[in-house]
Amino acid sequence: MTEKVSGPTGAELLHNPHINRGSAFTLDDRRRLGVEGLLPPVPDSLEIQIARVEHQLAALDSDLQKYLFLSDLQARNEVLYYAVLMSDPARFMPLVYTPTVGEACQKFDHVFRASRGMYLPITAKGRLQEILGNWPTQDVRFIVVTDGERILGLGDLGVGGMGIPVGKLALYTACAGVPPQMTMPVTLDVGTNNHALLDDPLYLGLRQERVRGAEYDAFIEEFVQAVMTRFPKCCIQWEDFANINAVPILERYRDKICTYNDDIQGTAAIALAGVFGALRITGQKLADQRFLFLGAGSAATGIAELISEAMMLEGIKPADARARNWLYDINGLVTSARADIADFQRPFAHDPLPVGSFVEAVEAIKPSAIIGVSTTPKLFNRQVIEAMSRLNERPIIFPYSNPTSRSECTAEEAYTWSDGRAVFASGSPFPPVAIKDKTFVPGQGNNVYIFPAMGMAILATQTRRVTQEMFIVAARAVADQVTTEDLGRGLIYPPTTRIFEASLLTATKIAEYVFDNGLAAVERPVNIEAHIRALAYRPAYGA
Ligand code: NAD
C-alpha cells in the first residue's frame, strides 16, 4: 500500500523553494513524492550540492552575476541557499547584501527575474489586509519594509528598493538563524521622484510622483493595522526611508507595536558597541568621555542620543549626558545661538563657543572621541588627529561615513598621525596597517553585528516593544565578545567570520533583558541561550 503524502508532490514540489531538495532527494523520497524521472538519477548530498554551487559561482565574472545566481538559488532551494551562505557568511554577505545589493537595486527593472517579497502599491489602499492574505505562509514574525526612497546612499530607487528587505532578511537568517519562513520582505510603492525610472519603459513600479503628507501617513497606518491583524506576532523593521519619514514613523509606532528602525537604532548601537570596545582598550568609563561629532544628521543625533542614554544608565543626569555630546556640521558648531537648528538636533545644541573650524572645536571641547558622520572625506586631517593625540593618550577616532571614498580619514592616516595611539574603527573596511613593528587591524562598524541578533531576540521573547535599552544591551554584548588578543591588535569588533555564534550570544543577552524587564509575551525559559539555539534555523534536509 502506498503511503499518503501531505503537501505538494511531483513537479509542484520541485517549484516550492521551502521544501525542494533538488538533486538531494533520496531514491525512496523520489518514489514516494512522485519526482522520480524529474531529476538526474543519482542522489546528491547537501555537501556535494554546495560544492556545485561554489563551482558555478567561480565561473561567474561579476559580483552582480553572482548576486543574481544566488537569488535564483534562493527561489529554487532555500536550504541549499542558506547552507551556502552560512558556510562562510563573511564571504557571502557582500554578495547578497552591501555593496552588491546596491547595484542590484539600481538595475532592478533590467535584471528582474523571479518575484520575491510582497509589493503593496498605494493604488491598493483599502485592500492591504486582503493582499497580505496572498502571502503563502501564515506565521510571519518579521517584516523588513521600505518605500524605496533612500536606498543605501543611492537615493530614490522606487520599487527597485526591494533588494534591501530581501537581502537584509537573508542576513537575519544567515547571521542569527531567524527562520526564513517566518520572514516577509515588503515594498510600499508610493511612487518615485526618480525621473530616470519614470522614463524607463522597463520600470516595474507605479509611474507617479511620490505621495506625501496625510495620504502617505494614512497608507502607512493602514499597512501597520493590516500587518497587526494578519500577523499579530510580527515585528516591523523600517528600512531605508528618507529621514523626513523615517523619524516620524518610528516616533509614531515605537510605543504602540513591536517595531524599530535599523538605520537609526542599529547604527547607533553599532557605534556604541565601538565605543564600549574602545573603552576596553583605554580602560576608561563611558561617563568620563566627551564626544564631538563631525556631522549633525540622523546618524550623528541617533548615535549621540544612544550614547547619552547609556551614560544615564551609569548614573549621569540626562542634561549632563547630552552636554557631553557635541555636534559640528556644515555651518560649524551646533549651538543654541544658531537659528538653523532642527528639533532633533536641539538636545545637543549647547552654549556657543568661539570656534571657527573643526580643529578649533577639538581644541575647545577636548573630546576623547571624534565620530565622523559627515559624508565628506578627509576632514579628519593631520591637524585634527595630531590635536586629538595631544589631548588624549589613546584618542578614539571613528570615521563612519560610507563608502570608503567618503571616509573622514583612512586607517593608515589615523594610525600614522597618532603615532600608533589611535583607537580606530570606520564605516567602510580598511586593510591592516603596520606602524613600526606593530600591525593594527581596523574594525568596521557594521550593523550586521546588531540587527540579526535583535531579530532573534525578538522572536525568542515575542517582546511587546523594542526599547533603546535593548540596543544598549546589544552594543555591550557585541563589545564584550571582542577577545583580548583582538583588542591588542586594535580590533574593537568581533570578526564577521564568527557572526553566527556572536549573534546568538548577543541575542541571548537582549532576551535576558526583555525577560528581566517584563516585556516578553512568552514564558521565560529555564535556559535562555538553549531556547535561542533551539529556535535557530540550520540549513539541513532533515528526515
Ligand atoms: P545626513 O545627510 O543626514 O547628515 C550629514 C551631516 O554632515 C549634516 O549634518 C551635514 O551638515 C554634515 N556635513 C556635510 N558636509 C560637511 C562638512 N564639510 N563639514 C561638516 N559637516 C558636514 O547623513 P546621515 O544619514 O547622518 O549619514 C552620515 C554618514 O554616516 C553617511 O556617510 C553614512 O554612510 C554614514 N553612516 C554609517 C553607518 C555605519 O557605518 N554603520 C551607519 C549610518 C550612517
Side-chain angles (χ1 to χ4, degrees), residues 20 23 106 108 179-180 183 201 270 282 300 327 347 389 408 424 448 523:
N20 180 26
S23 56
Q106 285 175 306
F108 181 78
T183 69
I270 197 57
T282 64
L327 313 176
S389 308
E408 284 80 4
F424 179 92
V448 81
E523 209 174 304

Side-chain angles (χ1 to χ4, degrees), residues 150 243 263 266-268 270-271 294-301 303 328-332 344-345 372-376 379 400-403 406 408 426-428 444-447:
R150 202 235 57 196
N243 277 340
D263 304 315
T267 293
I270 197 57
L294 185 68
S298 57
T301 51
I303 299 168
Y328 188 103
D329 74 0
I330 188 93
N331 295 320
F344 71 96
Q345 296 166 321
V373 272
S374 66
T375 69
T376 313
L379 295 178
Y400 272 147
S401 285
N402 290 317
R406 302 237 175 128
E408 284 80 4
S426 52
S428 298
Q444 187 194 352
N446 189 333
N447 294 21

Side-chain angles (χ1 to χ4, degrees), residues 78-105:
E78 199 167 75
V79 168
L80 179 54
Y81 172 76
Y82 282 110
V84 169
L85 258 55
M86 292 164 88
S87 70
D88 192 352
R91 179 157 68 95
F92 285 102
M93 263 191 274
L95 285 180
V96 299
Y97 200 57
T98 54
T100 313
V101 73
E103 188 183 357
C105 289

Side-chain angles (χ1 to χ4, degrees), residues 26-309:
T26 62
L27 293 179
D28 277 353
D29 282 345
R30 292 173 187 212
R31 227 166 280 143
R32 196 169 55 84
L33 299 168
V35 291
E36 224 178 354
L38 301 181
L39 294 160
V42 179
D44 272 342
S45 64
L46 183 57
E47 290 68 35
I48 291 291
Q49 288 184 309
I50 295 172
R52 185 176 299 108
V53 169
E54 290 282 8
H55 185 74
Q56 291 168 341
L57 280 171
L60 298 173
D61 293 331
S62 73
D63 285 348
L64 182 62
Q65 284 177 334
K66 291 177 189 181
Y67 172 93
L68 293 170
F69 173 81
L70 289 168
S71 297
D72 287 347
L73 178 61
Q74 188 179 19
R76 204 169 61 240
N77 181 337
E78 199 167 75
V79 168
L80 179 54
Y81 172 76
Y82 282 110
V84 169
L85 258 55
M86 292 164 88
S87 70
D88 192 352
R91 179 157 68 95
F92 285 102
M93 263 191 274
L95 285 180
V96 299
Y97 200 57
T98 54
T100 313
V101 73
E103 188 183 357
C105 289
Q106 285 175 306
K107 297 181 176 164
F108 181 78
D109 312 292
H110 290 240
V111 298
F112 180 79
R113 300 179 192 182
S115 187
R116 183 166 174 74
M118 177 123 261
Y119 294 86
L120 299 172
I122 196 152
T123 46
K125 68 180 171 208
R127 295 199 303 118
L128 297 192
Q129 197 180 314
E130 174 197 333
I131 295 173
L132 286 178
N134 292 339
W135 189 250
T137 57
Q138 304 304 314
D139 191 15
V140 176
R141 300 287 186 91
F142 223 89
I143 283 175
V144 175
V145 58
T146 188
D147 71 354
E149 185 163 11
R150 202 235 57 196
I151 296 301
L152 307 172
L154 305 168
D156 183 348
L157 297 184
V159 292
M162 181 57 110
I164 298 295
V166 168
K168 198 134 194 176
L169 283 168
L171 298 192
Y172 273 96
T173 300
C175 299
V178 174
Q181 277 166 274
M182 293 184 165
T183 69
M184 180 164 89
V186 175
T187 288
L188 302 174
D189 186 356
V190 296
T192 177
N193 294 350
N194 182 333
H195 285 264
L197 293 178
L198 291 174
D199 293 341
D200 183 346
L202 297 189
Y203 181 58
L204 286 152
L206 295 178
R207 279 166 204 279
Q208 63 176 60
E209 295 270 326
R210 281 186 178 274
V211 168
R212 304 264 184 222
E215 193 184 352
Y216 178 89
D217 293 345
F219 188 59
I220 298 287
E221 174 65 15
E222 184 189 340
F223 166 67
V224 170
Q225 292 308 328
V227 169
M228 290 300 110
T229 307
R230 279 273 174 212
F231 312 116
K233 293 180 181 170
C234 189
C235 175
I236 300 176
Q237 191 230 286
W238 311 94
E239 180 76 21
D240 283 0
F241 285 71
N243 277 340
I244 46 159
N245 290 320
V247 175
I249 288 174
L250 183 62
E251 286 312 312
R252 206 174 312 140
Y253 294 108
R254 67 193 308 166
D255 294 329
K256 293 198 183 118
I257 59 168
C258 178
T259 193
Y260 74 100
N261 180 311
D262 185 60
D263 304 315
I264 299 173
Q265 295 163 291
T267 293
I270 197 57
L272 181 61
V275 170
F276 284 143
L279 295 180
R280 286 186 60 198
I281 293 180
T282 64
Q284 295 170 345
K285 279 169 47 185
L286 180 66
D288 295 332
Q289 307 304 304
R290 246 191 318 272
F291 296 88
L292 174 59
F293 291 81
L294 185 68
S298 57
T301 51
I303 299 168
E305 181 58 28
L306 198 67
I307 287 177
S308 302
E309 291 180 29

